[in-house]
Amino acid sequence: DNLVYSKVGTTTRSTKERMKEHLKYYYDNGVRKIVVDRLWECGNVPAEGLESLFRATYIQRFPNSFRKNDRFINVEFDLNEADNIVEKFLHPQGR
């Protein structure tokens, strides 16, 4: 139950299918369980924009923890802050 990575990402497949892929891919890094804290539906807005905003925000804050494929080593995201980032991205100007 120790935190290994926090990760942001997008998928067009089911969450369950994508998490199985992650478990297999990260097995050698000690990942045995995945906890999905948030899923956001982006509607007509390309999800890659939100993913890029998260990545930029967290790279700026945790530059030494960032690893390829949108992973952050031993970083636990503030989920309230994440919700605010999503709200501002998907509903700019309160739209």
Side-chain angles (χ1 to χ4, degrees):
D1 286 330
N2 294 328
L3 176 67
V4 177
Y5 302 124
S6 288
K7 183 169 180 7
V8 297
T10 62
T11 187
T12 56
R13 293 172 300 224
S14 76
T15 302
K16 184 176 180 178
E17 184 179 340
R18 187 66 179 122
M19 294 308 104
K20 284 181 181 181
E21 292 171 359
H22 282 312
L23 281 172
K24 189 182 290 186
Y25 184 82
Y26 294 116
Y27 188 87
D28 290 343
N29 298 96
V31 175
R32 300 294 182 271
K33 175 174 122 178
I34 294 176
V35 176
V36 177
D37 290 311
R38 296 287 195 275
L39 294 172
W40 293 286
E41 174 59 51
C42 294
N44 294 328
V45 178
E48 292 80 6
L50 181 56
E51 179 183 28
S52 294
L53 179 58
F54 273 123
R55 184 174 42 251
T57 299
Y58 295 132
I59 285 173
Q60 200 169 40
R61 185 165 304 137
F62 309 109
N64 298 322
S65 295
F66 178 72
R67 298 296 182 273
K68 184 180 170 188
N69 297 328
D70 306 321
R71 294 173 292 145
F72 293 84
I73 307 281
N74 296 320
V75 169
E76 187 169 354
F77 297 146
D78 178 329
L79 298 178
N80 289 323
E81 177 186 44
D83 289 338
N84 289 330
I85 291 169
V86 171
E87 184 63 28
K88 289 176 184 176
F89 180 79
L90 294 179
H91 305 105
Q93 316 291 307
R95 288 189 270 173

